[in-house]
């Protein structure tokens, strides 16, 4: 397509304009007030001349919806408002001319035509201020050129959002009424960015909510870098401009890496992205392919495209299963500032099922957009502008559409008011209102009340913009504001709860892919086989241990390690220590039926056994013998007393020793002396009962000749004939080495039954623990009161065997050890560890 020649008006002034632009740039940087700027203002100086540069028609290139017909009624309302506020003396204080930038024809030519219109207005001396621009390239060129016209021309725009326009060295007289993409990046950073240990400190924002995402992928429209770039445009001769989506995502990357060292490291080489050209027809299959690639890079996908393209992306993601809560899509909708409550709806009869699918898919979508005023004043203003557009400009008749307003269109109202306020301040100060440098300084650092609320311009000429985070509320069935970002306060504030699929936000790590192939649910077959083999081996090992322990237990139960035979308690070790050959003892019974050769009765006490084992009495033996002698002295004292003698003679129930039995030891067949001697005495029973003789075993006296020397002097002075006669008789019998048997023991089975020890304890007598020697160790014996006639043999169950084994296995320093048990009829007894110091009562009474 051949390019049209420039208009004739530019030929006369072109050379002078470009020379003046270069020479005046240095002068424009001065900040002090020049005396030449002062000028007395008169009404004759009115009106001021302004130039509105916008495309005449809408097109796919224009992402802000800015056209001449849409903006003109807004500017009319602003001029009337300035006159009402008495900012300027007359209603017609601004002569506004319009110029078509032809951006709707070709994006590459819009820069040229915009510059031509500005130069024409300057040459015709009708250029005091410039408004408009829908494209950033045309804005950048005109701002640089106009800075060289005389004292500079202020340029006010509502669409110059790219971060590159922030430089005031290159763009000294630029005022941006919607701020820049950098503020949008700050809002996004507060919402989703990870804020860890590598935050640089430049970020002073506060946030009440953050998703702390580290990994994200950008999916955006950009013809210059599109993966589906048309083949006809592959030629290097074709110039393609970067899109507004590219500028917005470029600002996000720069801001994130500037304030966070984490993102600086992650995006050091490249930023994960998927650029595409939405103006080229895209099939659903092709869109799914792109989403599959994106899904393997991140779980957080940042979108920037037209509303129709975003809807197509969400439908494709829904068909891939990416809208079930594992992914989150964030739509950057800054360009149009749209606040559509139901953006998934398309009004045609064939899209009803698709609308339902789109609604389901949009549950995974969050939208960031410029915050729109919800005040009544703004709604009234919008109605007035719509009415003026129809009545004065016949908008619907000219375009065939209903009038729609967005934040970028309404911002022209605030732009005209700002210019009027700056003119008023300049005239009041006696300065030149047509001096661009003076007017610009009056517009920077300014706060005033606009149609959208309080408007604040920073020191760099950029407005502090607020952004809304929109989310689909399933109960209200529409998108609602759940948080907003304050540009002036640099803070994010929650307005309501987020509506996440599954009740919680997706995580950004791990990245599993759309079909989760990067996070397999299972493992290779050999891994399962190894795990199964290990489990089988473990089970077999446990079974082996179980059955082996059970087998060993049964062996131990069958072995009956606790069982002690009655013959093992017959003092065999004592006989070996004396070097004598052990012979079988002859069993005989006394008159009361007690077996004289009974191993237990022959075992005696521990003192007797010890004295038998040793050739001379030890100190311990002597002490125990002395203790027994002191106990026996009680009975001898009673016998020697007159009352005791008389009682014994009269038979009044007092205890009496039978002299015919004291010291009388029966001789045994093997010539040994019995290990236990007995002293018989009578216990008093109740009236009417027969007195019985009770034989109390006394420890056998040591054969040591020093024994009598160990007696106390008191015992020798008092003198006890009975005790001395007993001791003398015993020593004479030991010297004769004749075998003696036990004396008579009167049976006490009557009078309540029980053992001798029990009856003696009931009558206040002194009883010694039955002891024996078992495998060289002194043990205590407890006879069981079982009737041999009733229990001629004990049938032990498995539970009984287990109980005996448990008692045998119980070993502790503070528990009396269970040595074993004898179940040989009729000698049923329990054998335990012998406590040499006696009972606790004996220790306390000592």
């Amino acid at each position: 397509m051949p390019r049209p020649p420039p208009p004739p008006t530019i030929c006369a002034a072109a050379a002078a304009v470009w020379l003046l632009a270069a020479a005046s740039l240095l002068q424009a940087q001065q900040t002090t007030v020049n005396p030449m700027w002062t000028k007395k203002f008169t009404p004759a100086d009115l009106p001021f001349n302004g130039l509105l540069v916008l495309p005449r028609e809408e097109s796919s290139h224009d992402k802000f919806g800015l056209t001449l017909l849409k903006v003109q009624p807004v500017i009319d309302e602003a001029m009337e408002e300035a006159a009402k506020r008495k900012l300027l003396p007359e209603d017609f204080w601004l002569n506004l001319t319009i110029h078509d930038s032809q951006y709707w024809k070709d994006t590459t030519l819009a820069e040229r035509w915009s510059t031509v219109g500005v130069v024409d207005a300057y040459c015709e001396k009708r250029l005091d201020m410039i408004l408009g621009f829908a494209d950033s390239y045309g804005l950048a060129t005109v701002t640089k050129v106009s800075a060289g016209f005389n004292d500079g021309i202020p340029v006010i725009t509502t669409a110059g959002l790219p971060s590159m326009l922030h430089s005031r060295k290159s763009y000294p007289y630029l005022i941006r009424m919607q701020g820049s993409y950098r503020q949008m990046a700050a809002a996004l950073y507060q919402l989703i960015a990870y804020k860890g240990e590598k935050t640089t400190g430049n970020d002073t924002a506060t946030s009440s909510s953050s998703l702390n995402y580290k990994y994200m992928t950008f999916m955006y429209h950009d013809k210059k870098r599109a993966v589906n770039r048309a083949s006809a445009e592959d030629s290097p001769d074709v110039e393609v401009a970067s899109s507004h989506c590219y500028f917005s995502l470029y600002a996000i990357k720069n801001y994130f890496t500037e304030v966070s060292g984490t993102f600086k490291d992650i995006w050091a080489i490249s930023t994960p992205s998927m650029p595409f050209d939405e103006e080229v027809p895209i099939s659903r299959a092709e869109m799914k392919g792109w989403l599959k690639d994106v899904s393997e890079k991140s779980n957080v996908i940042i979108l920037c495209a037209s509303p129709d393209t975003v809807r197509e992306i969400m439908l494709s993601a829904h068909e891939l299963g990416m809208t079930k809560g594992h992914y989150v899509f964030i739509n950057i909708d800054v360009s149009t500032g749209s606040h559509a409550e139901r953006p998934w709806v398309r009004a045609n009869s064939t899209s009803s099922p698709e609308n339902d699918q789109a609604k389901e898919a949009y549950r995974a979508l969050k939208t960031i957009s410029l915050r729109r005023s919800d005040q009544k004043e703004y709604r009234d203003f919008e109605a007035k502008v719509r009415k003026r557009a129809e009545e004065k400009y016949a908008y619907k008749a000219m375009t065939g559409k209903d009038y729609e307003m967005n934040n970028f269109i309404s911002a022209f109202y605030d732009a005209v008011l700002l210019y009027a306020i700056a003119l008023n301040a300049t005239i009041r100060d006696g300065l030149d209102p047509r001096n661009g440098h003076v007017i610009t300084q009056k517009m920077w650092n300014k706060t005033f009340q606009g149609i959208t609320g309080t408007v604040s311009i920073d020191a760099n000429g950029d407005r502090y913009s607020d952004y809304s985070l929109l989310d689909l509320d399933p109960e209200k069935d529409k998108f609602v504001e759940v948080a907003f970002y304050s540009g002036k306060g640099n803070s994010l504030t929650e307005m309501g709860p987020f509506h996440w699929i599954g009740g919680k936000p997706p995580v950004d790590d791990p990245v599993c892919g759309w079909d989760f192939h990067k996070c397999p649910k299972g493992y290779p077959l050999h891994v399962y086989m190894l795990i199964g083999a290990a489990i089988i081996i473990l089970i077999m090992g446990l079974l082996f241990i179980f059955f082996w322990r059970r087998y060993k237990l049964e062996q131990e139960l069958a072995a009956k390690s606790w069982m002690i035979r009655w013959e093992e308690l017959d003092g065999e070790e004592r006989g070996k220590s004396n070097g004598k050959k052990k012979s079988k003892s002859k069993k005989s019974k006394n008159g009361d039926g007690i077996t004289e050769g009974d191993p237990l009765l022959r075992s005696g006490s521990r003192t007797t056994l010890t004295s038998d084992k040793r050739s001379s009495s030890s100190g311990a033996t002597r002490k125990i013998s002395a203790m027994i002698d002191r106990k026996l002295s009680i009975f001898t004292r009673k016998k020697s007393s007159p009352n005791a003698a008389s009682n014994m003679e009269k038979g009044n129930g007092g205890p009496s020793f039978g002299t015919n039995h004291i010291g009388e030891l029966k001789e045994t067949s093997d010539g040994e002396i019995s290990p236990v001697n007995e002293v018989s005495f009578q216990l008093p029973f109740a009236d009417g009962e027969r007195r019985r003789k009770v034989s109390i075993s006394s420890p056998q006296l040591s054969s040591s000749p020093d024994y009598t020397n160990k007696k106390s002097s008191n015992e020798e002075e008092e003198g006890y004939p009975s005790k001395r006669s007993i001791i003398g008789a015993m020593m004479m019998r030991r010297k004769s080495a004749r075998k003696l048997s036990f004396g008579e023991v009167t049976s006490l089975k009557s009078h309540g039954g029980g053992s001798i020890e029990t009856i003696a304890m009931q009558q206040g007598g002194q009883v010694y623990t039955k002891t024996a020697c078992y495998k060289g160790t002194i043990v205590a014996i407890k006879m069981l009161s079982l009737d041999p006639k009733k229990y001629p043999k004990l049938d032990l169950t498995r539970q009984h065997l287990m109980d005996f084994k448990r008692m045998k296995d119980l070993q502790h320093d503070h528990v009396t050890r269970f040595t074993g048990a004898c179940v040989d009829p009729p000698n049923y007894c329990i054998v335990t560890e012998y406590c040499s110091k006696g009972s606790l009562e004996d220790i306390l009474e000592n």
Side-chain angles (χ1 to χ4, degrees):
M1 175 179 177
R3 296 180 180 178
T9 55
I10 196 172
C11 298
V17 167
W18 294 112
L19 290 175
L20 287 173
S24 301
L25 277 175
L26 294 177
Q27 182 182 357
Q29 307 303 320
Q30 299 177 2
T31 57
T32 59
V33 177
N34 194 318
M36 295 181 61
W37 295 349
T38 61
K39 179 182 178 181
K40 187 172 180 60
F41 176 79
T42 62
D45 294 329
L46 292 176
F48 294 99
N49 298 302
L51 179 65
L52 178 62
V53 181
L54 285 173
R56 189 184 65 198
E57 299 180 8
E58 294 183 4
S59 66
S60 60
H61 311 308
D62 181 16
K63 302 303 179 183
F64 302 103
L66 297 174
T67 63
L68 293 172
L69 286 178
K70 286 184 177 180
V71 173
Q72 283 180 279
V74 175
I75 294 177
D76 292 345
E77 290 289 336
M79 292 172 62
E80 291 179 1
E81 179 65 22
K84 289 179 182 180
R85 295 187 185 185
K86 305 299 183 180
L87 296 175
L88 291 172
E90 297 181 8
D91 293 343
F92 185 71
W93 59 271
L94 180 63
N95 179 29
L96 187 68
T97 59
I98 61 174
H99 178 72
D100 181 10
S101 66
Q102 302 188 19
Y103 188 59
W104 54 278
K105 288 185 177 179
D106 193 339
T107 57
T108 59
L109 297 180
E111 181 180 359
R112 175 194 301 176
W113 294 117
S114 297
T115 306
V116 168
V118 171
V119 172
D120 284 345
Y122 176 75
C123 294
E124 296 173 4
K125 299 184 182 300
R126 51 179 178 86
L127 187 63
D128 297 323
M129 178 265 293
I130 304 174
L131 286 172
F133 297 98
D135 66 302
S136 300
Y137 288 98
L139 174 64
T141 303
V142 169
T143 304
K144 288 181 179 180
V145 172
S146 62
F149 293 166
N150 293 335
D151 295 322
I153 305 297
V155 179
I156 306 175
T157 183
T158 64
L161 300 177
S163 301
M164 290 78 77
L165 298 176
H166 185 74
S167 173
R168 287 302 168 256
K169 181 179 180 180
S170 301
Y171 314 99
Y173 304 127
L174 178 63
I175 296 94
R176 297 188 288 183
M177 297 305 297
Q178 288 294 357
S180 67
Y181 286 130
R182 181 179 176 84
Q183 295 178 357
M184 181 272 300
L188 185 65
Y189 181 83
Q190 295 302 315
L191 172 64
I192 69 171
Y194 170 78
K195 303 170 187 62
E197 66 283 354
K198 289 191 175 184
T199 301
T200 62
N202 295 329
D203 176 32
T204 59
T206 59
S207 173
S208 60
S209 174
S210 180
L211 301 176
N212 286 325
Y213 288 147
K214 289 183 181 180
Y215 310 103
M216 56 195 75
T217 301
F218 300 99
M219 193 173 182
Y220 62 99
H221 160 68
D222 185 45
K223 295 175 67 70
K224 190 173 183 178
R225 301 163 184 83
V227 295
N228 62 332
R229 186 175 179 178
S231 58
E233 297 180 355
D234 288 341
S235 172
D237 297 336
V238 178
E239 183 179 358
V240 179
S242 297
S243 65
H244 289 284
C245 287
Y246 169 78
F247 288 129
S248 63
L249 300 181
Y250 179 82
I252 293 173
K253 177 183 177 181
N254 285 349
Y255 184 86
F256 278 39
T257 55
E258 178 182 332
V259 301
S260 173
T262 301
F263 289 98
K264 187 175 182 180
D265 295 340
I266 295 174
W267 295 340
I269 299 177
S270 63
T271 304
S273 60
M274 176 63 68
F276 58 88
D277 185 3
E278 65 182 1
E279 297 179 6
V280 176
I282 303 172
S283 64
R284 184 67 61 86
E286 188 175 11
M287 185 66 74
K288 290 181 181 179
W290 295 344
L291 286 172
K292 290 178 181 179
D293 294 339
V294 170
S295 68
E296 297 185 1
K297 299 177 182 178
S298 173
N299 297 336
V300 182
I301 303 173
I302 310 297
L303 302 179
C304 183
S306 65
D308 291 338
T309 304
V310 170
R311 184 175 184 270
E312 186 66 23
I313 291 174
M314 296 309 299
L315 286 172
S316 300
H318 183 69
E319 292 180 4
L320 291 176
M322 296 175 61
T323 59
K324 297 180 180 180
H326 302 290
Y327 293 87
V328 58
F329 297 84
I330 300 176
N331 179 31
I332 306 298
D333 191 20
V334 176
S335 59
T336 60
S338 173
H339 274 243
E341 295 181 345
R342 306 179 70 189
W344 65 87
V345 176
R346 293 297 178 268
N348 58 69
S349 58
T350 61
S351 63
S352 179
E354 192 175 76
N355 285 339
D356 295 337
Q357 295 179 6
K359 176 185 174 182
E360 187 68 23
Y362 269 60
R363 294 182 59 196
L365 179 70
K366 315 298 177 188
T367 299
I368 292 182
S369 178
L370 282 168
R371 195 178 192 196
R372 191 172 186 178
S373 177
D374 197 26
Q375 298 177 359
K376 182 179 182 300
E377 293 80 359
Y378 183 84
R379 295 194 296 269
D380 294 342
F381 166 76
E382 188 174 4
K384 289 170 62 177
V385 171
R386 185 179 295 108
K387 181 179 180 181
R388 184 184 289 268
E390 294 297 333
E391 293 179 354
K392 184 177 180 179
Y393 297 97
Y395 181 83
K396 188 171 184 179
M398 296 288 295
T399 62
K401 299 179 181 178
D402 292 330
Y403 183 88
E404 293 182 1
M405 181 181 294
N406 59 40
N407 288 354
F408 295 92
I409 297 175
S410 63
F412 277 95
Y413 182 92
D414 297 332
V416 174
L417 277 182
L418 177 62
Y419 181 64
I421 293 172
L423 285 176
N424 181 275
T426 303
I427 295 171
R428 186 178 61 247
D429 293 342
L431 301 178
D432 185 5
R434 287 186 167 84
N435 187 297
H437 184 82
V438 174
I439 293 296
T440 302
Q441 293 297 321
K442 294 297 183 180
M443 287 190 285
W444 290 359
N445 279 325
K446 183 67 64 176
T447 299
F448 64 97
Q449 196 68 24
I451 192 59
T452 57
T454 302
V455 178
S456 297
I457 308 297
D458 64 12
N460 204 49
D462 295 333
R463 178 181 177 176
Y464 292 110
S465 296
D466 297 339
Y467 290 86
S468 295
L469 175 64
L470 307 177
D471 189 16
L472 175 60
D473 189 340
E475 295 182 358
K476 297 181 179 180
D477 197 28
K478 65 179 181 179
F479 271 81
V480 297
E481 184 182 45
V482 294
F484 77 91
Y485 170 80
S486 173
K488 188 172 184 179
N490 195 19
S491 61
L492 183 72
T493 305
E494 287 191 30
M495 302 295 292
F498 288 78
H499 307 91
W500 299 103
I501 299 176
K504 60 181 181 180
V507 296
D508 63 336
D509 188 53
V511 180
C512 298
W514 67 279
D515 57 353
F516 301 96
H517 69 278
K518 296 180 68 176
C519 299
K521 296 181 180 179
Y523 297 93
L525 180 61
H526 66 277
V527 175
Y528 288 106
M529 294 179 65
L530 290 175
I531 295 175
I535 294 175
I536 293 175
I537 293 174
L538 178 62
I539 294 175
M540 292 181 65
L542 294 176
L543 291 176
F544 175 79
I545 294 173
F546 173 77
F547 286 110
W548 173 256
R549 293 187 63 180
R550 189 173 184 84
Y551 171 74
K552 295 295 293 184
L553 176 63
E554 295 298 332
Q555 278 193 331
E556 292 177 3
L557 293 179
K560 299 179 181 179
S561 60
W562 51 268
M563 182 179 290
I564 300 176
R565 298 192 60 79
W566 185 250
E567 290 78 6
E568 295 177 353
L569 301 173
D570 59 357
E572 177 180 355
E573 296 295 328
R574 182 177 68 253
K576 291 182 180 180
S577 64
N578 293 331
K580 297 180 181 182
K581 183 177 181 180
K582 183 177 180 181
S583 60
K584 297 181 179 180
S585 62
K586 184 185 300 181
K587 297 183 179 180
S588 62
K589 295 185 178 179
N590 59 14
D592 290 325
I594 299 178
T595 305
E596 296 179 1
D598 195 300
L600 176 59
L601 295 180
R602 288 189 291 107
S603 64
S605 66
R606 182 178 181 184
T607 306
T608 305
L609 294 172
T610 306
S611 62
D612 287 347
K613 288 181 180 180
R614 300 176 181 177
S615 59
S616 61
S617 299
S618 64
T621 304
R622 289 194 297 270
K623 291 180 181 179
I624 297 174
S625 299
M627 181 183 66
I628 297 174
D629 290 340
R630 285 195 297 272
K631 296 296 182 179
L632 291 175
S633 66
I634 298 174
F635 300 101
T636 57
R637 288 194 192 101
K638 292 181 179 180
K639 182 178 180 182
S640 61
S641 63
N643 294 333
S646 62
N647 291 336
M648 290 169 60
E649 291 175 0
K650 293 178 182 181
N652 58 1
S656 63
F657 289 91
T659 57
N660 60 331
H661 296 293
I662 295 179
E664 183 178 344
L665 302 176
K666 294 184 180 181
E667 186 177 353
T668 58
S669 60
D670 56 1
E672 294 182 349
I673 298 174
S674 173
V676 176
N677 288 329
E678 295 182 349
V679 178
S680 64
F681 62 93
Q682 292 182 353
L683 295 173
F685 295 103
D687 295 342
E689 294 188 6
R690 180 172 57 89
R691 288 186 175 88
R692 296 180 180 276
K693 291 182 180 180
V694 180
S695 298
I696 301 299
S697 59
S698 176
Q700 189 171 345
L701 300 177
S702 173
S703 60
S704 171
D706 298 333
Y707 177 76
T708 57
N709 296 332
K710 304 298 182 179
K711 302 293 183 180
S712 64
S713 60
N714 293 333
E715 290 180 355
E716 291 177 357
E717 291 176 0
E718 292 178 2
Y720 298 106
S722 298
K723 186 172 69 172
R724 291 176 181 175
S725 62
I726 292 171
I727 297 172
M730 291 175 64
M731 294 183 66
M732 292 177 63
R733 295 299 178 92
R734 285 182 63 86
K735 291 181 180 179
S736 64
R738 290 180 298 169
K739 184 175 183 181
L740 300 177
S741 62
F742 287 91
E744 295 180 358
V745 179
T746 304
S747 175
L748 298 177
K749 294 183 179 179
S750 61
H751 191 70
S755 63
I756 296 175
E757 299 93 326
T758 303
I759 297 176
M761 292 177 66
Q762 290 174 353
Q763 302 301 327
Q766 179 69 33
V767 179
Y768 293 93
T769 302
K770 295 289 186 180
T771 61
C773 182
Y774 175 67
K775 294 184 179 181
T777 304
I778 303 301
V779 294
I781 308 299
K782 175 64 179 177
M783 300 300 297
L784 302 178
S785 57
L786 297 177
D787 188 0
K789 295 181 180 180
K790 187 175 181 180
Y791 300 100
K793 182 180 179 181
L794 293 180
D795 295 328
L796 301 177
T797 64
R798 191 177 186 279
Q799 184 61 40
H800 293 150
L801 298 178
M802 286 294 298
D803 293 339
F804 278 121
K805 180 184 179 303
R806 292 191 183 102
M807 290 191 295
K808 180 70 175 176
D809 294 339
L810 180 61
Q811 300 291 330
H812 196 274
D813 293 340
H814 303 304
V815 178
T816 303
R817 292 176 176 83
F818 174 76
T819 305
C822 178
V823 293
D824 296 341
N827 304 308
Y828 303 129
C829 65
I830 295 176
V831 182
T832 62
E833 178 186 9
Y834 176 71
C835 300
S836 60
K837 294 185 179 181
S839 66
L840 179 61
E841 180 183 4
D842 295 336
I843 295 174
L844 297 176
E845 291 180 353
N846 188 355

